[in-house]
Structures are given as structure tokens and as C-alpha cells.
Amino acid sequence: MTQHRRRASAQQVRRKRAVVAAAFAGTVALGVGVGVWASADGGARPGADVARTSPAPRATTGATGRAAAPSSPTPTRTYPLSQAPRTIPAVRSHTAARGPGWQPRHGERVVVSDPRLADEGRLIAGELGLSYAGQKNDVKAGDLRLALGGGGDQESYSMTVKGGRVDISGPGDAGVFYGTRTLKQEVHGGGTAPEGVVRDAPAKPVRGFMLDIARKPYSASWIEDRVRELGDLKFNELGLHFSDDQAFRIESSSHPEIVSKDHLTKAQVKRIVDLAASRHITVVPEIDSPGHLGAVIAAHPDLQLRNVNGVATRGAIDISKAGSAKIVDDLLNEYAGVFPGGKWHLGGDEYQALTVSDPQASFPQLAAAARQKYGSGATVSDLAAGWLNDRAATVRAHHRTMRAWNDGFFRNTSVQPAKDLQVAYWTGKEIGARQPLEYLSTGRKVINYNDEFLYYVLGQPQTFVYPTGQRIYEQWTPRVLRGTTPVPARYDPQILGGVFSVWSDFPNAQTEAQVAAGIRMPLRATVQKLWDPGAPALSWTQFKALADRLG
């Protein structure tokens, strides 16, 4: 080889080395950039590989000619502190952490620590597109694990998002279910459950929705849709007012003659009750008496209350007659088997015999029955109080917790309402109306049905207007039992919660779809204030936007 060719080869080698060095330096710089490139919310930017790290620093060569170890460690991903979940109702506590959070991925598992959580596990697996694996003790990446454990409120739960997995646990299956509702909302609203720990529990044990199906027949499928909606919002009661002057809406075997043509079969009711139970919702039936029994009386006109002149009193049954008590007790006993939940509404409101100036003179048969049963000084009010107590005894035998409307509790009677009756406080418009403090000061437990905020009355009769979610969200709390003024805070433990109610006074005023749309935001506002009665962190505009995003 000539000297000229040797020089040419050396120049080529130097040029190649320069190109390689420049290319390697560019690769290192690019690699470092990719390795720490994260979006503001802690997730990878679109197209980035979150598992990728930057290349090792350029190696040096030792005396042996072998590559030496890198001089610095590989850079790692960093994440901002997580933000609290945005859900309805809002979670009570969230401990932030750094991490990517959790997203459901096809093929990943839902596992349970106890077979009693199988229903909750199957439900959330189907909702998030995961595989339900049943009771397992092993741990895999991406797992959602449901577990029972600990003590305290059976509706409380904790949820930990860490290391690419989610653990939801609570002392009762209801709390674990609510944890799955939080997770479902997080995923549906933002795609990712944020890293960290949620600790959550409701402020009030009664979070209800009441539906008047007596005046307006609602389809079973529409009611089932409301059950699913209520479950996702962590409501735990569905009230069904199915007997009134206009109709009796559920199939009866003891008295088929009273059932209206358009009604729910017992099979349909069982599906509703079972669906509700799977969402930890108790169905609370109401057969209102001794008023609002027009549909029963239509088939038994001999039981209708008549005044001293023989004029019939609309919807009122004659409580001086033994047949009246028998037919109502027949129904209470029958439907205790249809509605196996532990709660019952006895009604007791608006008995027309007590809306006249002198009930004793207007209804002498009632006055005579009162004196015969309770003594010479007894009044029609005593007889009505005794009626409610007798119906309570019938239901109590089925081991139910009972409530009655506040205007079914009468002032200045020798017969006192049963001690275990809870007050469903809805109005202060009745004759002789009493302030909520009169019930609370005697130790009564009260449930808030405030007609100023929580009554959605079809057709807006009298002074009713459709309630808005904004007004509930900004002005109502469980302590606002009547009107707009809250009772003193010392009574808060006696207020068990609240119930948003739909009454169907003018059944054709709205379609089922319009009712569903009209109550959508009021329901969300109501449960927010029952889950956490403190001042909400979000403005109404933000809350509504969140509701729209969650669907």
C-alpha cells in the first residue's frame, strides 16, 4: 500500500469518528428529553412510551479496554401530586400522592377478598370492561381488589390507587359498593383514577328519592332506570307511594278488587326491589291512611267517612268501623312480603275529619268511637292517633322501622304517637301546624322532606314550583326542615337525612322523559348536601359542568 493511500484512509476514519460522535450526542440529548417528558396531569404525552427511559451516559474505556460502568443513574419519571377525584357526591377526604393513577385495561381483573362482594365485583367489572376473577389471593398488575374489613360506618370505605392497582375496602358491602361508584365516576369523567387514598363516608344515613306512582303510572323500566341512577349517586332509599285517591298501582292477592287497571305486577315489583337491593337501595313502600284511600274506598263505599249530614268525605276512611282497620291491615301484611326491606311509611297526613273547625260535631260517630276506646274526654284527634299506632303495631310485627308525615302527629292528645315513629317532615301548612323544634325537642328522629325545596309536584299546583338543583345546592341543608331557616345545630344528630319527592298531582303535565330530565340536577344537588352538608367546594356552575361531564 502506498503512503498516499494510507493518508486517505486516515482522513476517512477521522471523518467517520466525527459523524458518529455528533450522532451519539444528539441521541443522548433526545433520549433524556423523552425519558422525562410528561404532561401537566402526570400522564404521558400522546405518543410517548411511558415505560421508556433515557439511554445510559456515554461509556468510558478503562486500561483493559472494557466499557466502564455509567457515571450517573438513569433519570426516572416524575409526577405532580394528584388532584382529588371529581365526583358527585364529592369525596370527603383524599390524600394526594405522586404516580400515574389507574386506568382500566382490557383483560385486567376484578378480584374480591370475600364471596359476599361477588355482586359488587361483577357489576364494576362489567361497567369498566374488566374480567371478574372472583376470590383470589395473588396480586397482578392492574388489579382492582374489593375487600371487607375494619369497623365503623357500614357505608364508609377507603380506596387506594397505588402501583398500578386499586384497592377498595370497607366494613360493609354497602361501603365497598360506594367505593366502586367513586371509581366508576372517576374513570368515566376523566379516564384515570388519581393516585392516592380516598376515605369517604356519608354524613346522613337516609338519602332518598320518593316517587308517587299512584296518581301517575310509571313504567317498570323507567323506575329501574331511576334505580340505576340513584345507585351511582349513592342514594340508599327509593320510596313508592302506590295508593291514593286516584289509583292503587300494585297487584294485590288479598284485595284484587281495589287494584287499578294500569298497575305493576308483583313480578315487576320484585325485579325493581332486587335491582335496588343490588345497588344497596331499600325500597320504602307507603300505603297512606286514614286519608288518601280513595281507590280502596271506591271498591268499598261502605267504609267511606261521612259527616253528620251524610256527605262523603273524599279519600277518608271511617276509622270508627272495624272493617276499615281490617282492610288496611290486610294490605300492610300482604305488602310486607312484597317489600322485604327494613323501612315503612305509614302516611297519616291530611285526614279530612281533622280539617274542620269542630271534628266532634261534624263526625259524631268518630267522637263516640274515641270516647268508647279512650275514655270520656277523648277526641277525634285521639282516635286518629290511636289509628296510626294500631297500624304501626301491624307493621312492627314485620320488624320494620316506621315513619309518618308530620301532620299525622297531633297536638294536645291523650293518645301519644308510638315512640318509635320517625317524623317525615314535609310542611307547615296544615291546621295547627307545628314547628320542627316541637318534634326535635321531644327526642323524635326526623327525616327532611321540606316541600319548599324537595317537592317536585307535576303541574305546579297551589304555590308549588319545580325545584331547581341550584337552589338546593346553594340554600338547602338537612337542617332546613321547614321553609328556609335551619334548626339549631344541636339537633343535627336527630335529623336522619332527606328525601327528594316527585308528586303526580297533574299526571299529564310532564312525560316520564320530562320528569327524568327535570329531576336530574335536583337529585345531584340533594345527594351532595346529604353526603356532605358543609359548603360545597365547587360553585354551582362548576358542579353543573361536572354533572354534565359525568353523564
Side-chain angles (χ1 to χ4, degrees):
M1 180 180 294
T2 66
Q3 188 68 25
H4 172 75
R5 291 181 64 186
R6 287 192 188 100
R7 286 197 298 271
S9 297
Q11 290 172 353
Q12 290 171 352
V13 168
R14 285 194 293 272
R15 284 197 296 271
K16 288 179 180 179
R17 287 175 177 171
V19 170
V20 169
F24 186 81
T27 301
V28 171
L30 178 61
V32 172
V34 170
V36 297
W37 189 17
S39 66
D41 63 1
R45 296 285 287 272
D49 182 355
V50 298
R52 181 179 297 170
T53 57
S54 59
R58 185 175 181 179
T60 58
T61 304
T64 62
R66 295 176 181 173
S71 59
S72 62
T74 302
T76 58
R77 287 277 314 254
T78 61
Y79 297 90
L81 279 173
S82 59
Q83 300 294 313
R86 289 295 178 94
T87 59
I88 296 175
V91 300
R92 305 288 294 276
S93 169
H94 176 254
T95 302
R98 298 184 187 278
W102 180 87
Q103 292 180 331
R105 300 185 188 282
H106 181 71
E108 291 178 345
R109 308 183 306 173
V110 176
V111 297
V112 299
S113 69
D114 191 297
R116 288 175 291 177
L117 295 174
D119 290 344
E120 289 76 15
R122 289 190 179 95
L123 178 62
I124 190 66
E127 292 169 330
L128 298 185
L130 301 173
S131 172
Y132 177 67
Q135 190 174 1
K136 301 289 184 183
N137 293 321
D138 63 321
V139 175
K140 291 186 178 181
D143 275 357
L144 165 57
R145 177 173 292 276
L146 310 182
L148 292 173
D153 186 346
Q154 295 292 296
E155 293 190 308
S156 66
Y157 69 92
S158 65
M159 180 172 68
T160 302
V161 179
K162 182 180 180 181
R165 295 185 294 108
V166 180
D167 290 279
I168 298 174
S169 64
D173 51 357
V176 174
F177 171 74
Y178 296 140
T180 68
R181 300 307 87 192
T182 294
L183 183 65
K184 178 184 177 182
Q185 287 194 30
E186 289 175 333
V187 170
H188 285 188
T192 301
E195 203 87 1
V197 180
V198 168
R199 292 181 176 85
D200 204 11
K204 294 298 181 183
V206 173
R207 305 178 302 281
F209 169 62
M210 200 285 315
L211 181 65
D212 170 14
I213 65 173
R215 295 178 178 94
K216 179 181 178 69
Y218 290 83
S219 65
S221 62
W222 189 91
I223 298 172
E224 289 169 2
D225 285 343
R226 300 290 72 72
V227 169
R228 297 183 184 94
E229 180 180 16
L230 295 172
D232 283 351
L233 293 171
K234 301 172 186 166
F235 280 88
N236 63 1
E237 281 191 9
L238 168 64
L240 290 181
H241 176 93
F242 62 92
S243 168
D244 213 303
D245 296 341
Q246 292 79 358
F248 192 98
R249 296 289 186 189
I250 296 179
E251 174 188 355
S252 171
S253 56
S254 66
H255 290 281
E257 73 280 2
I258 70 173
V259 179
S260 302
K261 181 179 180 180
D262 195 347
H263 66 271
L264 297 174
T265 67
K266 286 186 177 179
Q268 289 174 314
V269 172
K270 185 178 187 305
R271 285 195 294 271
I272 292 168
V273 168
D274 289 347
L275 178 65
S278 75
R279 266 67 174 177
H280 297 274
I281 295 170
T282 299
V283 180
V284 184
E286 181 192 357
I287 300 176
D288 201 349
S289 77
H292 295 281
L293 283 172
V296 172
I297 293 168
H300 296 271
D302 57 306
L303 299 179
Q304 185 161 27
L305 178 65
R306 296 179 180 274
N307 69 12
V308 67
N309 298 316
V311 177
T313 304
R314 184 174 185 266
I317 204 165
D318 189 333
I319 60 177
S320 69
K321 294 184 176 182
S324 296
K326 182 182 184 307
I327 193 170
V328 173
D329 283 348
D330 286 347
L331 296 171
L332 294 175
N333 286 319
E334 176 182 359
Y335 289 100
V338 177
F339 297 98
K343 300 179 180 181
W344 199 280
H345 201 316
L346 291 169
D349 65 315
E350 298 182 322
Y351 188 47
Q352 296 301 306
L354 295 171
T355 63
V356 298
S357 59
D358 188 349
Q360 282 67 233
S362 294
F363 301 98
Q365 77 275 32
L366 299 184
R371 290 190 297 271
Q372 181 180 1
K373 189 170 184 178
Y374 298 112
S376 59
T379 65
V380 175
S381 294
D382 288 313
L383 191 67
W387 167 277
L388 193 63
N389 286 345
D390 290 344
R391 309 291 77 74
T394 299
V395 174
R396 191 181 296 111
H398 296 283
H399 310 290
R400 304 294 196 264
T401 299
M402 299 161 292
R403 67 190 65 162
W405 298 113
N406 60 284
D407 50 333
F409 294 76
F410 305 109
R411 178 189 277 133
N412 300 324
T413 56
S414 60
V415 178
Q416 295 299 305
K419 295 293 186 183
D420 59 345
L421 281 179
Q422 298 170 352
V423 179
Y425 200 99
W426 72 281
T427 188
K429 301 181 177 72
E430 75 276 13
I431 294 175
R434 288 183 284 169
Q435 293 288 339
L437 291 182
E438 289 198 37
Y439 303 94
L440 293 167
S441 62
T442 63
R444 290 275 181 191
K445 293 180 179 179
V446 177
I447 301 168
N448 193 325
Y449 286 77
N450 188 337
D451 65 347
E452 182 81 14
F453 289 92
L454 305 180
Y455 263 35
Y456 192 95
V457 185
L458 299 192
Q460 304 183 102
Q462 303 173 42
T463 60
F464 289 107
V465 296
Y466 293 130
T468 66
Q470 182 173 1
R471 187 159 182 255
I472 296 168
Y473 189 77
E474 294 177 344
Q475 300 179 31
W476 180 80
T477 73
R479 285 171 47 211
V480 180
L481 285 163
R482 173 177 174 170
T484 59
T485 303
V487 299
R490 66 180 179 274
Y491 292 114
D492 187 68
Q494 289 174 237
I495 301 170
L496 300 179
V499 177
F500 185 88
S501 302
V502 171
W503 293 101
S504 308
D505 290 43
F506 289 91
N508 297 323
Q510 289 191 340
T511 64
E512 287 184 344
Q514 288 172 322
V515 173
I519 65 176
R520 180 176 176 274
M521 287 310 300
L523 282 176
R524 284 153 177 77
T526 299
V527 81
Q528 172 61 44
K529 304 304 280 292
L530 291 168
W531 195 267
D532 184 354
L538 301 181
S539 69
W540 169 252
T541 300
Q542 292 170 325
F543 184 81
K544 188 175 184 304
L546 174 62
D548 292 342
R549 188 168 81 243
L550 295 177

